[in-house]
Amino acid sequence: MAIKRIVDTRFWNDNKVIDTFSVEDKYFLLYLMTNPESTQLGIYKLPKKIISFQTGYTQEVIAVLIQRFETKYKNILYSQKTGEISVINSLKYSIVKGGKPVSDLLSKELNAVEDSELIKETYERMQGFWNKSLRSFDSTIKSLFEEELKRRQLKSNDNDNDNDNDNDNDNDNEESYPHSYDESYHESSKIEQSTETPAQQMLNIFNKALGRSVANQGTFSGLVFKNVSVQEFEDVINYVISWNDDILQNTTANTIARNFDKYSDKASELGYRDGKKPVKKISNKGYGKPQRVEPQMITEPVAESNVDVSDVAKELAELKDMGLQTKLEE
């Protein structure tokens, strides 16, 4: 029998979703709550390859989404070590009715989690909600977490963080949706990163090539969401910097993003591929009179020709009789 997942209809009426959610944010969060790998607990194994295959996004886009939801929105946790994810507020909405079957299921799913830190961090993040909840079953869920932490000999920081978690849950985790798409999408360059994201790499390429000091990588994140690779972006930049200086001075990141498809097609046509630049052909046509090139002086004797001049003249005469114009007469 197919597994059913619950999505609260308040998701679509929430002001944060209406005002600040991008299409990618809505799609990604709904995917995290309902994908085939998801569990009642909300902590489950979800490798990036699986996310990419099931959503249709590239792994570069998945990396950007996970970073944004984890670091800025703070409503998911992702274990790079085990490929597991925790949707922090899943337990607020996935449990409609308690009872022993549900308790047994949650206990089983807790036991199956490989990265113990995910359990510990999720427990600490949920403290504020559990302490305020009027649902009797939420105290049972809290106890299940505590039993699992004890079994794994892990000590949580819940006593020190009760007040902090109350505030965090009131502000950051009141709903299972991000706060401000605009804030993180357009100011994501302020997020500390251990490794550069594709958007950051594009930003660095842009600044280096055009001599800029732009810090906002939001425009380049938009290109990543369109499945533009770093290599494709570099090829377009190589094409753009082949223009004259006057054009470059007025070229912005938005200009490149807005016309990216057109630039990409032209770059490919001209041979800007895989980071390689085509060999430029120098032509004087349309740019003034070409410089006169003196013929090279021959310093060695020329070998005598075996061609009979009379034969050549005869052939030219025959061509003329046939009505063909020769190069000499053009």
Side-chain angles (χ1 to χ4, degrees), residues 309-322 326:
V309 177
S310 61
D311 289 340
V312 174
K314 183 178 179 182
E315 290 181 7
L316 289 174
E318 291 177 354
L319 291 173
K320 188 173 182 181
D321 291 338
M322 293 170 62
T326 68

Side-chain angles (χ1 to χ4, degrees), residues 238-253:
N238 285 337
Y239 163 66
V240 169
I241 62 177
S242 67
W243 298 345
N244 63 54
D245 292 338
D246 291 336
I247 295 178
L248 287 182
Q249 288 176 2
N250 297 315
T251 300
T252 65

Side-chain angles (χ1 to χ4, degrees), residues 44-248:
Y44 54 92
K45 186 175 284 292
L46 190 66
K48 293 177 183 178
K49 282 186 178 181
I50 297 295
I51 303 176
S52 178
F53 176 76
Q54 292 178 342
T55 63
Y57 287 142
T58 63
Q59 290 196 49
E60 288 81 6
V61 172
I62 299 303
V64 172
L65 284 167
I66 288 176
Q67 183 196 45
R68 186 158 81 237
F69 273 68
E70 184 175 26
T71 308
K72 185 67 178 182
Y73 301 152
K74 298 180 181 178
N75 63 348
I76 71 167
L77 298 167
Y78 193 82
S79 172
Q80 301 291 343
K81 179 173 62 177
T82 62
E84 294 173 298
I85 194 167
S86 173
V87 184
I88 301 299
N89 292 314
S90 177
L91 287 167
K92 293 183 183 181
Y93 306 105
S94 65
I95 307 296
V96 176
K97 186 178 180 181
K100 191 174 187 306
V102 178
S103 297
D104 291 343
L105 175 62
L106 292 177
S107 181
K108 179 181 178 181
E109 291 177 349
L110 276 168
N111 185 263
V113 176
E114 295 178 17
D115 192 337
S116 298
E117 287 300 317
L118 286 181
I119 299 176
K120 178 182 176 182
E121 185 68 21
T122 302
Y123 172 77
E124 293 171 357
R125 297 274 191 98
M126 290 295 294
Q127 284 296 311
F129 171 75
W130 284 332
N131 291 338
K132 293 180 179 180
S133 177
L134 299 177
R135 299 191 308 179
S136 59
F137 191 68
D138 283 327
S139 62
T140 302
I141 298 175
K142 181 180 178 182
S143 298
L144 291 173
F145 269 80
E146 290 171 346
E147 290 172 7
E148 185 63 27
L149 288 172
K150 185 177 180 181
R151 187 183 72 81
R152 299 185 184 219
Q153 299 181 341
L154 290 174
K155 183 180 179 181
S156 72
N157 300 320
D158 60 299
N159 291 330
D160 295 334
N161 294 329
D162 275 348
N163 293 330
D164 292 339
N165 282 319
D166 284 348
N167 294 329
D168 290 342
N169 280 276
D170 286 343
N171 298 321
D172 294 336
N173 294 323
E174 183 175 281
E175 301 293 342
S176 59
Y177 333 122
H179 301 306
S180 172
Y181 161 74
D182 181 73
E183 211 177 10
S184 77
Y185 188 79
H186 297 292
E187 296 183 10
S188 56
S189 61
K190 296 179 183 178
I191 299 174
E192 295 183 2
Q193 306 174 45
S194 57
T195 58
E196 288 186 347
T197 64
Q200 181 64 50
Q201 293 178 49
M202 290 182 183
L203 174 64
N204 293 340
I205 291 171
F206 175 83
N207 284 338
K208 182 178 180 180
L210 275 67
R212 306 290 169 81
S213 57
V214 177
N216 191 338
Q217 61 178 310
T219 300
F220 306 109
S221 295
L223 291 175
V224 173
F225 280 123
K226 292 181 181 179
N227 290 335
V228 174
S229 69
V230 175
Q231 185 62 72
E232 289 175 309
F233 181 79
E234 184 177 14
D235 292 337
V236 165
I237 290 298
N238 285 337
Y239 163 66
V240 169
I241 62 177
S242 67
W243 298 345
N244 63 54
D245 292 338
D246 291 336
I247 295 178
L248 287 182

